[in-house]
């Protein structure tokens, strides 16, 4: 009995002693659960707050399926006008010495690239034609350029006689020996046999010319720009600005115009693309569009970018564009930063421009020529215009595009910080300019276009670069 009592006493002691670790383990479990509960409550509170922000106050999902009012990472919201107000005094006071236009900042190393396509054609070498080829060149100015160049290459492959391309859909060719391709665009691969590629090079960079009225006025515009750029040695910067109403509307991006501007853009989308933005299940996120660099840069943003890159108020600036959306508001900051700003309308008289009014491709041809001969070209949105222009400038200027192609994903983050200092902003912009300079030279890869990268198909490396004057002649 004593033994049993002793064993019972020992078991009791073990139970008491063992209870302490168990209690501690239980306490840790309870603390862990309380922490997880607290985290869960915080997450629920955050979610509730976000729902109130996105859906409260009349905001949320509009009838077009566009997400409105949502908060997001840096770069999601247009605050560039606040950055402009913050940096304007320092931008006004800043004077770049020397101006990048005066001292060329495009580095040249080793042998330079020069055009090396053969321009000789002996008629007696042409074989008998297998028939006729007729194509319809649709689209804008540079889409038609692609069609013409590729049509000539296809005619060579087929050993056919190319009829002058039709630029209207109602053209009809009834010859039984004719092959008719309509519409004709992007029909030929980027990589083709060398003799066919050389023919496309010759057509695009040497043979194609604008009509006489366009060439005459465009050359006068270039001469006038050079004369008005006396503070920078006759050199000027050109900008392809894509801030027309249809471009802003199609992007589904939001700026600082409030509900009035948002409603105007919604009406513009419905007029031009009936129902496209109202399809079931389609949700468009303006904030994500902006973060991903898909929003057209405003004139204000272009002005700040260029001033940060070192182009001061003595810089002559040519703006190539259609009709700018709400120009009175959006162009004012750019003109404030660059008082020597010119456009088609300011360079020529209304009488000179009258014959081109209502013809967008002819007006684009004028812009193309003035941009082609600028010292620096600035692209702000991807399209055929800058794509072709970069290639043409590479062909003319020893293989270098002399083009500023901004990283808009980085830009929107900088423009989202109203407290950014001028020296920090300027540092980032100069880095972006240097990055564009390094990307100016490039060799075409198999799936890339010779219209944008003429090396090595249309150019060869030689000891000296082709001069600017020779290129113009």
């Amino acid at each position: 009995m004593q033994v049993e009592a002793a064993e019972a006493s020992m078991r009791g002691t073990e139970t008491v002693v063992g209870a302490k670790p168990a209690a501690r383990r239980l306490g840790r479990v309870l603390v862990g659960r309380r922490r997880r509960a607290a985290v869960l409550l915080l997450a629920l509170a955050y979610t509730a707050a976000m729902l109130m922000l996105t859906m409260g106050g009349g905001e949320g999902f509009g009838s077009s399926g566009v997400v409105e009012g949502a908060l997001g990472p840096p770069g999601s919201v247009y605050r560039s006008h606040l950055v402009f107000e913050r940096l304007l005094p320092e931008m006004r006071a800043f004077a770049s010495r020397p101006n990048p236009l005066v001292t060329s900042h495009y580095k040249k190393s080793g042998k330079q690239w020069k055009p090396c396509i053969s321009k000789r054609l002996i008629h007696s070498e042409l074989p008998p034609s297998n028939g006729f080829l007729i194509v319809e060149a649709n689209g804008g100015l540079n889409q038609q350029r692609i069609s013409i160049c590729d049509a000539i290459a296809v005619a060579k492959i087929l050993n056919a006689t190319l009829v002058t391309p039709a630029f209207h859909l109602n053209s009809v060719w009834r010859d039984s020996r004719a092959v008719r391709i309509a519409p004709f665009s992007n029909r030929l691969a980027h990589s083709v046999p060398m003799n066919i590629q050389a023919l496309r090079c010759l057509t695009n960079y040497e043979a194609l010319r604008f009509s006489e009225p366009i060439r005459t006025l465009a050359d006068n515009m270039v001469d006038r720009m050079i004369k008005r750029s006396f503070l920078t040695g006759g050199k000027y910067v050109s900008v392809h600005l894509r801030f027309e109403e249809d471009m802003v509307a199609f992007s589904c991006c939001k700026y600082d115009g409030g509900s009035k501007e948002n409603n105007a853009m919604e009406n513009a989308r419905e007029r031009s693309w009936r129902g496209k933005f109202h399809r079931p299940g389609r949700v468009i996120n303006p904030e994500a569009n902006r973060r991903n660099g898909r929003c057209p840069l405003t004139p204000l943003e272009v002005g700040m970018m260029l001033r940060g890159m070192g182009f001061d108020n003595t810089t002559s600036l040519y703006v190539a564009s259609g009709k700018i959306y709400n120009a009175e508001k959006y162009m004012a900051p750019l003109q404030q930063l660059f008082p020597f700003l010119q456009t088609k309308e300011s360079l020529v008289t209304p009488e000179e421009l009258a014959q081109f009014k209502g013809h967008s491709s002819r007006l684009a041809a004028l812009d193309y020529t003035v941009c082609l001969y600028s010292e620096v070209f600035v692209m702000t949105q991807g399209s055929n215009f800058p794509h072709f222009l970069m290639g043409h400038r590479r062909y003319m200027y020893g293989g270098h595009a002399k083009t500023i192609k901004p990283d808009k994903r980085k830009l929107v983050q900088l423009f989202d910080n109203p407290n950014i200092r001028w020296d920090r902003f300027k540092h980032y912009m100069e880095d972006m300019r240097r990055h564009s300079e390094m990307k100016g030279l490039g060799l075409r890869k198999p799936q890339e276009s010779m219209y944008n990268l003429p090396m090595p198909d249309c150019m060869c490396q030689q000891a000296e670069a082709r001069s600017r004057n020779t290129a113009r002649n």
Side-chain angles (χ1 to χ4, degrees):
M1 292 294 293
Q2 290 179 350
V3 172
E4 290 177 356
E7 289 176 350
S9 175
M10 291 178 65
R11 286 197 298 271
T13 303
E14 289 173 355
T15 302
V16 172
V17 173
K20 292 181 179 180
R24 285 195 293 270
R25 287 196 297 272
L26 179 61
R28 285 196 294 268
V29 169
L30 291 174
V31 169
R33 287 179 178 176
R34 283 197 296 271
R35 287 176 178 171
R36 285 195 292 272
V39 172
L40 179 60
L41 285 172
L42 285 173
L44 288 172
Y46 177 79
T47 303
M50 291 299 293
L51 286 171
M52 290 176 67
L53 284 170
T54 58
M55 302 190 67
E59 295 182 347
F61 290 92
S63 58
S64 62
V66 177
V67 181
E68 299 178 353
L71 299 178
S76 300
V77 181
Y78 181 82
R79 293 194 178 94
S80 303
H81 57 301
L82 302 178
V83 179
F84 177 80
E85 293 172 2
R86 163 74 175 81
L87 297 182
L88 182 58
E90 292 170 282
M91 286 192 291
R92 281 176 168 168
F94 173 73
S96 178
R97 294 293 181 267
N99 189 302
L101 285 177
V102 178
T103 58
S104 179
H105 52 281
Y106 293 98
K107 299 177 176 62
K108 297 179 180 180
S109 59
K111 294 182 179 180
Q112 302 300 310
W113 290 88
K114 288 186 65 176
C116 59
I117 52 179
S118 175
K119 303 177 185 179
R120 293 189 304 168
L121 177 64
I122 303 173
H123 187 76
S124 60
E125 294 179 353
L126 294 176
S129 175
N130 289 332
F132 294 93
L133 173 67
I134 182 169
V135 302
E136 290 178 358
N138 299 326
L141 172 69
N142 291 292
Q143 193 64 47
Q144 291 178 4
R145 182 187 288 268
I146 294 176
S147 298
I148 294 169
C149 295
D150 285 358
I152 290 174
V154 170
K156 169 68 174 177
I157 294 170
L158 299 176
N159 190 30
T161 301
L162 178 66
V163 179
T164 302
F167 295 97
H168 301 284
L169 289 174
N170 59 358
S171 299
V172 177
W173 187 261
R174 296 188 181 277
D175 193 307
S176 60
R177 295 173 59 205
V179 177
R180 185 169 184 268
I181 306 176
F184 184 89
S185 61
N186 295 333
R187 298 276 181 170
L188 203 58
H190 292 308
S191 295
V192 294
M194 288 183 61
N195 63 322
I196 303 299
Q197 194 76 299
L199 187 57
R200 284 204 293 194
C201 293
L202 178 62
T203 304
N204 184 57
Y205 294 115
E206 299 290 348
L208 272 180
R209 294 286 186 273
F210 293 130
S211 64
E212 185 63 30
I214 293 175
R215 288 205 310 271
T216 300
L217 182 56
D219 287 344
N220 287 336
M221 292 170 67
V222 172
D223 290 339
R224 292 169 193 177
M225 274 303 301
I226 292 173
K227 290 177 182 177
R228 297 185 188 190
S229 306
F230 57 91
L231 291 177
T232 49
K235 299 176 180 180
Y236 60 93
V237 176
S238 63
V239 178
H240 185 223
L241 188 58
R242 296 308 314 272
F243 205 72
E244 302 90 347
E245 183 180 74
D246 61 341
M247 177 61 69
V248 177
F250 188 82
S251 72
C252 295
C253 296
K254 294 171 66 176
Y255 295 92
D256 63 330
S259 59
K260 181 180 179 181
E261 183 171 281
N262 294 340
N263 291 336
M265 292 299 98
E266 173 61 24
N267 293 334
R269 282 191 286 271
E270 188 59 25
R271 282 195 308 270
S272 300
W273 303 279
R274 296 184 184 278
K276 180 181 178 69
F277 298 92
H278 293 273
R279 291 173 184 167
R282 178 164 187 174
V283 177
I284 301 164
N285 191 325
E287 289 80 10
N289 287 350
R290 182 165 177 81
R291 289 196 306 273
N292 292 328
R294 296 173 183 168
C295 292
L297 291 178
T298 64
L300 175 149
E301 291 173 323
V302 173
M304 285 196 295
M305 177 186 74
L306 290 177
R307 289 301 288 267
M309 289 180 174
F311 299 98
D312 62 22
N313 61 1
T314 65
T315 303
S316 287
L317 193 69
Y318 180 81
V319 175
S321 72
K323 184 179 179 181
I324 297 297
Y325 169 68
N326 200 357
E328 185 176 353
K329 169 190 173 181
Y330 282 110
M331 284 296 290
L334 182 59
Q335 292 173 322
Q336 191 174 0
L337 293 175
F338 292 96
F340 295 101
L341 184 150
Q342 304 290 342
T343 63
K344 292 184 293 289
E345 291 74 16
S346 65
L347 275 182
V348 302
T349 65
E351 292 75 22
E352 289 176 310
L353 204 57
Q355 61 179 315
F356 303 102
K357 286 289 187 181
H359 301 280
S360 58
S361 290
R362 297 177 191 178
L363 293 171
L366 297 176
D367 279 339
Y368 185 96
T369 305
V370 181
C371 292
L372 185 63
Y373 292 105
S374 63
E375 179 67 15
V376 178
F377 171 64
V378 183
M379 63 177 294
T380 62
Q381 191 82 358
S383 67
N384 278 331
F385 187 100
H387 178 85
F388 271 82
L389 198 58
M390 287 177 69
H392 206 154
R393 290 169 62 82
R394 283 186 171 107
Y395 186 81
M396 287 176 55
Y397 301 132
H400 203 297
K402 292 190 174 184
T403 297
I404 293 174
K405 186 178 180 180
D407 184 337
K408 294 203 289 183
R409 293 186 179 187
K410 292 182 180 178
L411 271 181
V412 296
Q413 295 188 36
L414 295 173
F415 290 147
D416 196 19
N417 181 8
N419 298 316
I420 191 169
R421 300 192 315 271
W422 166 245
D423 57 345
R424 186 172 179 82
F425 179 82
K426 184 171 172 289
H427 171 76
Y428 281 118
M429 292 301 99
E430 289 174 343
D431 278 351
M432 197 172 292
R433 192 191 78 188
R434 283 190 287 268
H435 183 74
S436 288
E437 293 167 15
M438 289 188 293
K439 293 289 185 179
L441 284 164
L443 299 180
R444 188 184 71 83
K445 296 177 182 177
Q447 297 306 314
E448 292 178 326
S449 168
M450 72 94 192
Y451 299 112
N452 181 251
L453 291 162
M455 304 93 75
D457 305 273
C458 314
M459 305 180 73
C460 306
Q461 276 194 307
Q462 297 182 11
E464 296 180 358
R466 191 177 188 179
S467 70
R468 183 184 183 87
N469 292 333
T470 304
R472 282 200 65 185
N473 295 332

